[in-house]
Amino acid sequence: MNLPVQPLKSAQADAPYWNARLQLVTRKTPRGTKLVHKEHKGPLYVQNPFYPEGPDCAHIYLLHPPGGMVSGDFLTIEVRAEEHSHTLVTTPGAGRVYRARPDGLIQKQQVNLSTSCGSALEWMPLETILFPSSKAQLETRVDLAADSAFIGWEITSLGLPANGVRLNDADQQTTLKQGLKIYREGRLLLNERLKLTPENNEVLNASAGFRGQPVHGLMVAGPFAADLPSSAMETLQALCDEHIAGVSMNGEFLTVRCLGDCSEKARLLLTEVWKIVRPLLLQRPACAPRIWAT
C-alpha cells in the first residue's frame, strides 16, 4: 500500500508509531454503487472509486503512504457494503511489516468487513511482506448478512525471497499471528488461524507446513447455496495441480490455498481462480482492477 506523498503533519507526527483508522461505507444509489462515507485518522486514505465495469461495482484503492508498519503501529480498516451495493477493495502496492524495534511492540492491522442484504464485497489487497524480526498481528473479520456474498484473499510473503532473505535463519525473531473469521448473522462459519513464532518455526520447512516455501496465499469465496458444478471444481483442481495448491469446499465456502516462492505468481494463480469463481457466485465476469497492470 505504498504511495509517495509529502510528510504528514498532525498531532502524532513526532510519535514513533501510528494509530491510524479508516472507515468506508458504500451504498447502492440510482446512479450505481457510491462511496457515501469515508472517515480517516492518520495515514490511511482512499482514492475516488473507479468504475471499470460500470456504475454498479465500485473499485476502491486503499492508500497507506508510509508504505508499511513499524513497532507500535495499529491500523484499523472498516468497510461496510450497504444493501444491494457491490464493492471491490484492493491496494496499489504491497503492504510491509518492517523489522521490529528493540521495544518489541506489536505491529497490528485489524480489518473489519461487513455487508447488508443483497450486497457483495470483494477484499483483494496485494501481498503483505514480513521483514525478518517483525512482530505482526494481522486480523480480518467478515460479518455477512443473510443474503450477501464475499470473496477475499490474503497473500503473505515470509521475508524477501527475491533478495534471498528467508525467515528460517537462526538469528531472526519473527512472530506472526494471522486470522480470518467469517460470520453470517452473528454465527461463525469459517475460522482460519496461523501462529508463527521462533519456538514453532519448524512449520516453515515441514511437509505438513510451508514446505520451505516463503509465500502462502488463501482465497475464500461464498457462501454458496449448493456445491459448485463438478465441471468448475475439475477446472479449479486442474489449475491448482499446476502449482503447490489445493481447492476444497469448507462448508458453504470455497477455499483455495497455495504455496510458492513468488508473491506475484501467487496473485496470478488466485486471480485465475477468481475469474472462474466470480461469475458463479456474483453472476458477474471478472474485471481486474487497472492498478494491477501497472
Side-chain angles (χ1 to χ4, degrees):
M1 292 185 284
N2 52 320
L3 188 72
V5 297
Q6 294 299 315
L8 297 165
K9 296 181 179 180
S10 75
Q12 200 177 358
D14 296 328
Y17 54 84
W18 284 105
N19 187 352
R21 188 182 192 91
L22 177 68
Q23 295 177 311
L24 305 175
V25 178
T26 58
R27 180 179 300 155
K28 176 74 170 180
T29 73
R31 299 179 60 187
T33 295
K34 299 297 181 182
L35 179 60
V36 297
H37 175 78
K38 58 181 177 179
E39 181 178 341
H40 80 93
K41 171 188 174 184
L44 277 174
Y45 308 97
V46 293
Q47 294 180 331
N48 290 330
F50 295 88
Y51 295 91
E53 49 187 313
D56 290 336
C57 180
H59 288 209
I60 297 176
Y61 300 166
L62 298 183
L63 307 177
H64 181 221
M69 293 190 292
V70 300
S71 295
D73 278 2
F74 186 2
L75 308 183
T76 303
I77 300 168
E78 299 180 356
V79 183
R80 178 170 181 79
E82 295 195 341
E83 291 186 2
H84 304 292
S85 64
H86 186 172
T87 307
L88 185 154
V89 183
T90 188
T91 61
R96 294 170 175 82
V97 185
Y98 294 119
R99 182 186 300 271
R101 290 191 296 260
D103 57 22
L105 293 176
I106 295 294
Q107 298 143 283
K108 183 175 181 179
Q109 176 176 281
Q110 176 69 50
V111 178
N112 298 319
L113 310 172
S114 61
T115 63
S116 297
C117 179
S119 66
L121 181 56
E122 298 177 88
W123 173 255
M124 305 170 73
L126 298 190
E127 71 273 12
T128 297
I129 302 171
L130 268 67
F131 280 59
S133 300
S134 56
K135 297 184 181 299
Q137 184 173 335
L138 310 174
E139 301 286 348
T140 301
R141 172 172 174 143
V142 184
D143 287 278
L144 300 177
D147 183 22
S148 63
F150 172 74
I151 300 176
W153 70 34
E154 296 175 342
I155 302 170
T156 308
S157 178
L158 304 176
L160 296 89
N163 296 334
V165 179
R166 304 289 183 104
L167 296 190
N168 54 357
D169 293 344
D171 62 339
Q172 294 168 2
Q173 297 297 314
T174 306
T175 64
L176 170 63
K177 294 181 180 179
Q178 190 171 24
L180 169 64
K181 293 183 178 181
I182 301 180
Y183 295 81
R184 185 174 61 196
E185 296 185 297
R187 179 175 172 234
L188 182 63
L189 299 181
L190 189 71
N191 187 7
E192 293 280 343
R193 306 295 300 172
L194 170 63
K195 183 177 181 180
L196 179 66
T197 68
E199 290 73 31
N200 75 340
N201 63 9
E202 65 274 4
V203 72
L204 293 170
N205 295 304
S207 58
F210 292 104
R211 304 185 188 182
Q213 302 296 323
V215 176
H216 67 272
L218 169 67
M219 179 175 174
V220 176
F224 287 92
D227 290 341
L228 266 66
S230 58
S231 58
M233 288 297 291
E234 290 170 1
T235 301
L236 291 170
Q237 188 60 62
L239 182 61
C240 289
D241 286 345
E242 299 175 4
H243 306 266
I244 307 176
V247 57
S248 63
M249 289 298 298
N250 189 342
E252 300 172 73
F253 288 88
L254 178 84
T255 59
V256 177
R257 307 171 194 275
C258 65
L259 295 171
D261 59 3
C262 175
S263 57
E264 183 179 7
K265 290 180 181 179
R267 178 174 61 83
L268 291 175
L269 169 61
L270 296 184
T271 300
E272 290 302 310
V273 173
W274 176 61
K275 291 178 180 178
I276 298 169
V277 173
R278 195 192 205 213
L280 298 174
L281 181 64
L282 305 181
Q283 293 73 55
R284 180 183 289 270
C287 178
R290 293 171 181 170
I291 195 69
W292 292 356
T294 61

CSV table of all heavy atoms in Angstrom, one decimal, residues 227-280:
chain,number,residue,atom,x,y,z
A,227,ASP,N,-23.2,-27.0,-3.8
A,227,ASP,CA,-21.9,-27.3,-4.2
A,227,ASP,C,-21.7,-26.7,-5.6
A,227,ASP,O,-22.6,-26.6,-6.4
A,227,ASP,CB,-21.7,-28.8,-4.3
A,227,ASP,CG,-21.6,-29.4,-2.9
A,227,ASP,OD1,-21.3,-28.6,-1.9
A,227,ASP,OD2,-21.7,-30.6,-2.7
A,228,LEU,N,-20.4,-26.4,-5.9
A,228,LEU,CA,-20.1,-25.9,-7.2
A,228,LEU,C,-20.3,-27.0,-8.3
A,228,LEU,O,-20.2,-28.2,-7.9
A,228,LEU,CB,-18.7,-25.4,-7.3
A,228,LEU,CG,-18.4,-23.9,-7.1
A,228,LEU,CD1,-18.8,-23.5,-5.6
A,228,LEU,CD2,-17.0,-23.5,-7.4
A,229,PRO,N,-20.7,-26.7,-9.5
A,229,PRO,CA,-20.8,-27.7,-10.5
A,229,PRO,C,-19.5,-28.5,-10.6
A,229,PRO,O,-18.4,-27.9,-10.5
A,229,PRO,CB,-21.0,-26.9,-11.8
A,229,PRO,CG,-21.6,-25.6,-11.3
A,229,PRO,CD,-21.0,-25.3,-10.0
A,230,SER,N,-19.6,-29.8,-10.9
A,230,SER,CA,-18.4,-30.6,-11.0
A,230,SER,C,-17.4,-30.1,-12.0
A,230,SER,O,-16.2,-30.2,-11.8
A,230,SER,CB,-18.8,-32.1,-11.2
A,230,SER,OG,-19.6,-32.1,-12.5
A,231,SER,N,-17.9,-29.6,-13.1
A,231,SER,CA,-17.0,-29.1,-14.1
A,231,SER,C,-16.2,-27.9,-13.6
A,231,SER,O,-15.0,-27.8,-14.0
A,231,SER,CB,-17.8,-28.6,-15.4
A,231,SER,OG,-18.7,-27.6,-15.0
A,232,ALA,N,-16.8,-27.1,-12.8
A,232,ALA,CA,-16.0,-25.9,-12.3
A,232,ALA,C,-14.9,-26.4,-11.3
A,232,ALA,O,-13.8,-26.0,-11.3
A,232,ALA,CB,-16.9,-25.0,-11.6
A,233,MET,N,-15.3,-27.4,-10.4
A,233,MET,CA,-14.3,-27.9,-9.5
A,233,MET,C,-13.2,-28.6,-10.2
A,233,MET,O,-12.0,-28.5,-9.8
A,233,MET,CB,-15.0,-28.9,-8.5
A,233,MET,CG,-15.9,-28.2,-7.5
A,233,MET,SD,-15.0,-27.1,-6.4
A,233,MET,CE,-14.0,-28.3,-5.4
A,234,GLU,N,-13.5,-29.3,-11.3
A,234,GLU,CA,-12.5,-30.0,-12.0
A,234,GLU,C,-11.5,-29.0,-12.7
A,234,GLU,O,-10.3,-29.2,-12.7
A,234,GLU,CB,-13.1,-30.9,-13.1
A,234,GLU,CG,-13.8,-32.1,-12.5
A,234,GLU,CD,-14.6,-32.9,-13.6
A,234,GLU,OE1,-14.6,-32.4,-14.7
A,234,GLU,OE2,-15.3,-33.9,-13.2
A,235,THR,N,-12.1,-27.9,-13.2
A,235,THR,CA,-11.2,-26.9,-13.8
A,235,THR,C,-10.3,-26.2,-12.7
A,235,THR,O,-9.1,-26.0,-12.9
A,235,THR,CB,-12.1,-25.8,-14.4
A,235,THR,OG1,-12.9,-26.4,-15.4
A,235,THR,CG2,-11.2,-24.7,-15.0
A,236,LEU,N,-10.9,-26.0,-11.5
A,236,LEU,CA,-10.1,-25.4,-10.4
A,236,LEU,C,-9.0,-26.3,-10.0
A,236,LEU,O,-7.9,-25.9,-9.7
A,236,LEU,CB,-11.0,-25.0,-9.3
A,236,LEU,CG,-12.0,-23.8,-9.5
A,236,LEU,CD1,-13.0,-23.7,-8.4
A,236,LEU,CD2,-11.2,-22.5,-9.6
A,237,GLN,N,-9.4,-27.6,-9.9
A,237,GLN,CA,-8.4,-28.6,-9.4
A,237,GLN,C,-7.3,-28.7,-10.4
A,237,GLN,O,-6.1,-28.8,-10.0
A,237,GLN,CB,-9.0,-29.9,-9.2
A,237,GLN,CG,-8.1,-31.0,-8.5
A,237,GLN,CD,-7.7,-30.5,-7.2
A,237,GLN,OE1,-8.4,-30.3,-6.3
A,237,GLN,NE2,-6.3,-30.4,-7.0
A,238,ALA,N,-7.6,-28.7,-11.7
A,238,ALA,CA,-6.5,-28.8,-12.7
A,238,ALA,C,-5.6,-27.6,-12.7
A,238,ALA,O,-4.4,-27.7,-12.8
A,238,ALA,CB,-7.2,-28.9,-14.1
A,239,LEU,N,-6.2,-26.4,-12.4
A,239,LEU,CA,-5.4,-25.2,-12.3
A,239,LEU,C,-4.5,-25.3,-11.0
A,239,LEU,O,-3.3,-24.9,-11.1
A,239,LEU,CB,-6.3,-24.0,-12.1
A,239,LEU,CG,-5.7,-22.6,-12.0
A,239,LEU,CD1,-4.9,-22.3,-13.3
A,239,LEU,CD2,-6.8,-21.5,-11.8
A,240,CYS,N,-5.0,-25.8,-9.9
A,240,CYS,CA,-4.2,-25.9,-8.7
A,240,CYS,C,-3.1,-27.0,-8.9
A,240,CYS,O,-2.0,-26.9,-8.3
A,240,CYS,CB,-5.1,-26.3,-7.5
A,240,CYS,SG,-6.1,-24.9,-7.0
A,241,ASP,N,-3.4,-28.0,-9.7
A,241,ASP,CA,-2.4,-29.1,-9.9
A,241,ASP,C,-1.1,-28.6,-10.6
A,241,ASP,O,-0.1,-29.3,-10.5
A,241,ASP,CB,-3.0,-30.2,-10.7
A,241,ASP,CG,-4.0,-31.0,-9.9
A,241,ASP,OD1,-4.0,-30.9,-8.6
A,241,ASP,OD2,-4.8,-31.8,-10.5
A,242,GLU,N,-1.2,-27.4,-11.2
A,242,GLU,CA,0.0,-26.9,-11.9
A,242,GLU,C,0.9,-26.1,-10.9
A,242,GLU,O,1.9,-25.6,-11.2
A,242,GLU,CB,-0.5,-25.9,-13.0
A,242,GLU,CG,-1.3,-26.6,-14.1
A,242,GLU,CD,-1.8,-25.6,-15.1
A,242,GLU,OE1,-1.4,-24.4,-15.0
A,242,GLU,OE2,-2.5,-26.0,-16.0
A,243,HIS,N,0.4,-26.0,-9.6
A,243,HIS,CA,1.1,-25.3,-8.6
A,243,HIS,C,1.1,-26.1,-7.3
A,243,HIS,O,0.6,-27.2,-7.2
A,243,HIS,CB,0.5,-23.9,-8.3
A,243,HIS,CG,0.3,-23.1,-9.5
A,243,HIS,ND1,1.2,-22.2,-9.9
A,243,HIS,CD2,-0.7,-23.1,-10.5
A,243,HIS,CE1,0.8,-21.6,-11.0
A,243,HIS,NE2,-0.3,-22.1,-11.4
A,244,ILE,N,1.8,-25.6,-6.2
A,244,ILE,CA,1.6,-26.2,-4.9
A,244,ILE,C,0.3,-25.6,-4.3
A,244,ILE,O,0.4,-24.6,-3.6
A,244,ILE,CB,2.8,-26.0,-4.0
A,244,ILE,CG1,4.1,-26.4,-4.7
A,244,ILE,CG2,2.7,-26.7,-2.7
A,244,ILE,CD1,5.4,-26.1,-3.9
A,245,ALA,N,-0.8,-26.1,-4.6
A,245,ALA,CA,-2.1,-25.5,-4.3
A,245,ALA,C,-3.2,-26.6,-4.2
A,245,ALA,O,-3.0,-27.7,-4.7
A,245,ALA,CB,-2.4,-24.5,-5.4
A,246,GLY,N,-4.2,-26.2,-3.6
A,246,GLY,CA,-5.4,-27.1,-3.4
A,246,GLY,C,-6.7,-26.3,-3.3
A,246,GLY,O,-6.7,-25.2,-2.8
A,247,VAL,N,-7.7,-27.0,-3.7
A,247,VAL,CA,-9.1,-26.3,-3.6
A,247,VAL,C,-10.0,-27.3,-2.9
A,247,VAL,O,-9.9,-28.5,-3.1
A,247,VAL,CB,-9.6,-26.0,-5.0
A,247,VAL,CG1,-9.6,-27.2,-5.9
A,247,VAL,CG2,-10.9,-25.3,-5.0
A,248,SER,N,-10.9,-26.7,-2.1
A,248,SER,CA,-11.9,-27.5,-1.4
A,248,SER,C,-13.1,-26.7,-1.0
A,248,SER,O,-13.0,-25.5,-1.0
A,248,SER,CB,-11.3,-28.2,-0.1
A,248,SER,OG,-10.9,-27.2,0.8
A,249,MET,N,-14.2,-27.4,-0.7
A,249,MET,CA,-15.3,-26.7,-0.1
A,249,MET,C,-15.3,-26.9,1.4
A,249,MET,O,-15.1,-28.0,1.9
A,249,MET,CB,-16.6,-27.3,-0.7
A,249,MET,CG,-16.9,-27.0,-2.1
A,249,MET,SD,-17.2,-25.2,-2.4
A,249,MET,CE,-18.6,-24.8,-1.4
A,250,ASN,N,-15.3,-25.8,2.1
A,250,ASN,CA,-15.3,-25.8,3.6
A,250,ASN,C,-16.7,-25.3,4.0
A,250,ASN,O,-16.9,-24.1,4.2
A,250,ASN,CB,-14.2,-25.0,4.1
A,250,ASN,CG,-13.9,-25.1,5.6
A,250,ASN,OD1,-14.8,-25.6,6.3
A,250,ASN,ND2,-12.8,-24.7,6.0
A,251,GLY,N,-17.6,-26.2,4.2
A,251,GLY,CA,-19.0,-25.8,4.5
A,251,GLY,C,-19.5,-25.1,3.3
A,251,GLY,O,-19.6,-25.7,2.2
A,252,GLU,N,-20.0,-23.9,3.4
A,252,GLU,CA,-20.6,-23.1,2.3
A,252,GLU,C,-19.5,-22.3,1.6
A,252,GLU,O,-19.9,-21.5,0.7
A,252,GLU,CB,-21.7,-22.2,2.8
A,252,GLU,CG,-22.8,-23.0,3.5
A,252,GLU,CD,-23.8,-22.0,4.2
A,252,GLU,OE1,-24.6,-21.4,3.5
A,252,GLU,OE2,-23.8,-22.0,5.4
A,253,PHE,N,-18.3,-22.4,1.9
A,253,PHE,CA,-17.2,-21.6,1.3
A,253,PHE,C,-16.2,-22.4,0.5
A,253,PHE,O,-15.8,-23.4,1.0
A,253,PHE,CB,-16.5,-20.8,2.4
A,253,PHE,CG,-17.3,-19.7,3.1
A,253,PHE,CD1,-18.1,-19.9,4.1
A,253,PHE,CD2,-17.3,-18.4,2.5
A,253,PHE,CE1,-18.9,-18.9,4.7
A,253,PHE,CE2,-18.0,-17.4,3.1
A,253,PHE,CZ,-18.9,-17.7,4.2
A,254,LEU,N,-15.9,-21.8,-0.6
A,254,LEU,CA,-14.8,-22.4,-1.4
A,254,LEU,C,-13.5,-21.8,-0.9
A,254,LEU,O,-13.4,-20.6,-0.7
A,254,LEU,CB,-15.0,-22.0,-2.9
A,254,LEU,CG,-13.9,-22.5,-3.8
A,254,LEU,CD1,-14.1,-23.9,-4.2
A,254,LEU,CD2,-13.7,-21.6,-5.0
A,255,THR,N,-12.5,-22.7,-0.6
A,255,THR,CA,-11.2,-22.2,-0.2
A,255,THR,C,-10.1,-22.7,-1.1
A,255,THR,O,-10.2,-23.9,-1.5
A,255,THR,CB,-10.9,-22.7,1.3
A,255,THR,OG1,-10.9,-24.1,1.3
A,255,THR,CG2,-11.9,-22.1,2.2
A,256,VAL,N,-9.2,-21.9,-1.4
A,256,VAL,CA,-8.0,-22.2,-2.2
A,256,VAL,C,-6.8,-21.8,-1.5
A,256,VAL,O,-6.7,-20.6,-1.0
A,256,VAL,CB,-8.1,-21.5,-3.6
A,256,VAL,CG1,-6.8,-21.8,-4.4
A,256,VAL,CG2,-9.3,-22.0,-4.4
A,257,ARG,N,-5.8,-22.7,-1.4
A,257,ARG,CA,-4.6,-22.4,-0.7
A,257,ARG,C,-3.4,-22.7,-1.6
A,257,ARG,O,-3.5,-23.6,-2.4
A,257,ARG,CB,-4.4,-23.3,0.6
A,257,ARG,CG,-5.6,-23.2,1.5
A,257,ARG,CD,-5.5,-24.3,2.6
A,257,ARG,NE,-6.8,-24.5,3.3
A,257,ARG,CZ,-7.1,-23.7,4.3
A,257,ARG,NH1,-6.3,-22.8,4.8
A,257,ARG,NH2,-8.3,-23.9,4.9
A,258,CYS,N,-2.4,-21.9,-1.5
A,258,CYS,CA,-1.2,-22.1,-2.4
A,258,CYS,C,0.0,-21.7,-1.6
A,258,CYS,O,0.1,-20.9,-0.7
A,258,CYS,CB,-1.4,-21.2,-3.7
A,258,CYS,SG,-1.4,-19.4,-3.4
A,259,LEU,N,1.1,-22.3,-2.1
A,259,LEU,CA,2.5,-22.1,-1.6
A,259,LEU,C,3.4,-21.8,-2.8
A,259,LEU,O,3.1,-22.3,-3.9
A,259,LEU,CB,3.0,-23.3,-0.8
A,259,LEU,CG,2.3,-23.7,0.5
A,259,LEU,CD1,2.9,-25.0,1.0
A,259,LEU,CD2,2.5,-22.6,1.6
A,260,GLY,N,4.4,-21.0,-2.5
A,260,GLY,CA,5.3,-20.7,-3.6
A,260,GLY,C,6.5,-19.9,-3.2
A,260,GLY,O,6.7,-19.6,-2.0
A,261,ASP,N,7.3,-19.4,-4.1
A,261,ASP,CA,8.4,-18.6,-3.8
A,261,ASP,C,8.3,-17.2,-4.4
A,261,ASP,O,9.3,-16.4,-4.4
A,261,ASP,CB,9.7,-19.2,-4.3
A,261,ASP,CG,9.7,-19.5,-5.8
A,261,ASP,OD1,8.8,-19.1,-6.5
A,261,ASP,OD2,10.7,-20.1,-6.3
A,262,CYS,N,7.1,-16.8,-4.9
A,262,CYS,CA,6.9,-15.5,-5.5
A,262,CYS,C,5.5,-15.1,-5.3
A,262,CYS,O,4.5,-15.7,-5.6
A,262,CYS,CB,7.2,-15.7,-7.0
A,262,CYS,SG,6.9,-14.1,-8.0
A,263,SER,N,5.4,-13.9,-4.7
A,263,SER,CA,4.0,-13.4,-4.4
A,263,SER,C,3.3,-13.0,-5.6
A,263,SER,O,2.0,-13.1,-5.7
A,263,SER,CB,4.2,-12.1,-3.5
A,263,SER,OG,5.0,-11.1,-4.0
A,264,GLU,N,3.9,-12.6,-6.7
A,264,GLU,CA,3.2,-12.2,-7.9
A,264,GLU,C,2.6,-13.5,-8.5
A,264,GLU,O,1.5,-13.5,-9.0
A,264,GLU,CB,4.2,-11.6,-8.9
A,264,GLU,CG,3.5,-11.1,-10.2
A,264,GLU,CD,4.4,-10.5,-11.2
A,264,GLU,OE1,5.6,-10.4,-10.9
A,264,GLU,OE2,3.9,-10.0,-12.2
A,265,LYS,N,3.4,-14.6,-8.5
A,265,LYS,CA,2.8,-15.8,-9.0
A,265,LYS,C,1.6,-16.3,-8.2
A,265,LYS,O,0.6,-16.8,-8.8
A,265,LYS,CB,3.9,-16.9,-9.0
A,265,LYS,CG,5.0,-16.7,-10.1
A,265,LYS,CD,6.0,-17.8,-10.0
A,265,LYS,CE,7.2,-17.6,-11.0
A,265,LYS,NZ,8.2,-18.6,-10.9
A,266,ALA,N,1.7,-16.1,-6.9
A,266,ALA,CA,0.5,-16.5,-6.1
A,266,ALA,C,-0.7,-15.6,-6.4
A,266,ALA,O,-1.8,-16.1,-6.5
A,266,ALA,CB,0.9,-16.3,-4.6
A,267,ARG,N,-0.5,-14.3,-6.6
A,267,ARG,CA,-1.6,-13.5,-7.0
A,267,ARG,C,-2.2,-13.8,-8.4
A,267,ARG,O,-3.4,-13.8,-8.6
A,267,ARG,CB,-1.2,-12.0,-7.0
A,267,ARG,CG,-2.3,-11.0,-7.4
A,267,ARG,CD,-1.9,-9.6,-7.3
A,267,ARG,NE,-0.8,-9.2,-8.1
A,267,ARG,CZ,-0.8,-8.9,-9.4
A,267,ARG,NH1,-2.0,-8.9,-10.0
A,267,ARG,NH2,0.3,-8.5,-10.0
A,268,LEU,N,-1.3,-14.2,-9.3
A,268,LEU,CA,-1.8,-14.5,-10.7
A,268,LEU,C,-2.6,-15.8,-10.6
A,268,LEU,O,-3.6,-16.0,-11.3
A,268,LEU,CB,-0.6,-14.7,-11.6
A,268,LEU,CG,0.1,-13.4,-12.0
A,268,LEU,CD1,1.4,-13.7,-12.8
A,268,LEU,CD2,-0.8,-12.4,-12.7
A,269,LEU,N,-2.2,-16.8,-9.7
A,269,LEU,CA,-3.0,-18.0,-9.6
A,269,LEU,C,-4.3,-17.7,-9.0
A,269,LEU,O,-5.4,-18.2,-9.5
A,269,LEU,CB,-2.2,-19.0,-8.7
A,269,LEU,CG,-3.0,-20.2,-8.2
A,269,LEU,CD1,-3.5,-21.0,-9.4
A,269,LEU,CD2,-2.2,-21.0,-7.2
A,270,LEU,N,-4.4,-16.9,-7.9
A,270,LEU,CA,-5.6,-16.6,-7.3
A,270,LEU,C,-6.5,-15.8,-8.2
A,270,LEU,O,-7.7,-15.9,-8.1
A,270,LEU,CB,-5.4,-15.9,-5.9
A,270,LEU,CG,-4.7,-16.7,-4.9
A,270,LEU,CD1,-4.6,-16.0,-3.5
A,270,LEU,CD2,-5.3,-18.1,-4.6
A,271,THR,N,-5.9,-15.0,-9.0
A,271,THR,CA,-6.7,-14.2,-10.0
A,271,THR,C,-7.4,-15.1,-11.0
A,271,THR,O,-8.5,-14.9,-11.4
A,271,THR,CB,-5.8,-13.2,-10.7
A,271,THR,OG1,-5.2,-12.3,-9.8
A,271,THR,CG2,-6.6,-12.4,-11.7
A,272,GLU,N,-6.7,-16.2,-11.4
A,272,GLU,CA,-7.3,-17.1,-12.3
A,272,GLU,C,-8.4,-17.9,-11.7
A,272,GLU,O,-9.5,-18.1,-12.3
A,272,GLU,CB,-6.2,-18.1,-12.8
A,272,GLU,CG,-5.2,-17.5,-13.8
A,272,GLU,CD,-5.8,-16.9,-15.0
A,272,GLU,OE1,-6.6,-17.6,-15.7
A,272,GLU,OE2,-5.5,-15.7,-15.3
A,273,VAL,N,-8.2,-18.2,-10.4
A,273,VAL,CA,-9.3,-18.8,-9.6
A,273,VAL,C,-10.5,-17.9,-9.6
A,273,VAL,O,-11.7,-18.3,-9.8
A,273,VAL,CB,-8.9,-19.2,-8.2
A,273,VAL,CG1,-10.0,-19.7,-7.4
A,273,VAL,CG2,-7.8,-20.3,-8.3
A,274,TRP,N,-10.3,-16.6,-9.3
A,274,TRP,CA,-11.3,-15.6,-9.2
A,274,TRP,C,-12.1,-15.5,-10.5
A,274,TRP,O,-13.3,-15.3,-10.5
A,274,TRP,CB,-10.6,-14.3,-8.8
A,274,TRP,CG,-11.5,-13.1,-8.7
A,274,TRP,CD1,-12.6,-12.9,-7.9
A,274,TRP,CD2,-11.4,-11.9,-9.5
A,274,TRP,NE1,-13.1,-11.6,-8.1
A,274,TRP,CE2,-12.4,-11.0,-9.1
A,274,TRP,CE3,-10.4,-11.5,-10.5
A,274,TRP,CZ2,-12.5,-9.7,-9.7
A,274,TRP,CZ3,-10.6,-10.2,-11.0
A,274,TRP,CH2,-11.6,-9.3,-10.6
A,275,LYS,N,-11.4,-15.6,-11.6
A,275,LYS,CA,-12.1,-15.5,-12.9
A,275,LYS,C,-13.1,-16.6,-13.1
A,275,LYS,O,-14.1,-16.4,-13.8
A,275,LYS,CB,-11.1,-15.5,-14.0
A,275,LYS,CG,-10.2,-14.3,-14.1
A,275,LYS,CD,-9.2,-14.4,-15.3
A,275,LYS,CE,-8.3,-13.2,-15.4
A,275,LYS,NZ,-7.2,-13.4,-16.4
A,276,ILE,N,-12.8,-17.7,-12.5
A,276,ILE,CA,-13.8,-18.9,-12.5
A,276,ILE,C,-14.9,-18.7,-11.5
A,276,ILE,O,-16.1,-19.0,-11.8
A,276,ILE,CB,-13.0,-20.2,-12.4
A,276,ILE,CG1,-12.0,-20.4,-13.5
A,276,ILE,CG2,-14.0,-21.4,-12.3
A,276,ILE,CD1,-11.0,-21.5,-13.2
A,277,VAL,N,-14.5,-18.3,-10.3
A,277,VAL,CA,-15.5,-18.3,-9.2
A,277,VAL,C,-16.4,-17.2,-9.2
A,277,VAL,O,-17.6,-17.3,-8.9
A,277,VAL,CB,-14.7,-18.4,-7.9
A,277,VAL,CG1,-15.6,-18.2,-6.7
A,277,VAL,CG2,-13.9,-19.7,-7.8
A,278,ARG,N,-15.9,-16.0,-9.6
A,278,ARG,CA,-16.8,-14.8,-9.5
A,278,ARG,C,-18.1,-14.9,-10.3
A,278,ARG,O,-19.1,-14.5,-9.8
A,278,ARG,CB,-16.0,-13.6,-10.0
A,278,ARG,CG,-16.6,-12.2,-9.6
A,278,ARG,CD,-16.0,-11.1,-10.3
A,278,ARG,NE,-16.1,-9.8,-9.6
A,278,ARG,CZ,-16.2,-8.6,-10.2
A,278,ARG,NH1,-16.2,-8.6,-11.5
A,278,ARG,NH2,-16.3,-7.5,-9.5
A,279,PRO,N,-18.1,-15.3,-11.5
A,279,PRO,CA,-19.4,-15.5,-12.2
A,279,PRO,C,-20.3,-16.4,-11.6
A,279,PRO,O,-21.5,-16.2,-11.6
A,279,PRO,CB,-18.9,-16.0,-13.6
A,279,PRO,CG,-17.5,-15.6,-13.8
A,279,PRO,CD,-16.9,-15.7,-12.4
A,280,LEU,N,-19.8,-17.5,-10.9
A,280,LEU,CA,-20.7,-18.4,-10.3
A,280,LEU,C,-21.3,-17.9,-9.0
A,280,LEU,O,-22.5,-18.2,-8.7
A,280,LEU,CB,-19.8,-19.7,-9.9
A,280,LEU,CG,-19.2,-20.5,-11.1
A,280,LEU,CD1,-18.3,-21.6,-10.6
A,280,LEU,CD2,-20.3,-21.0,-12.0
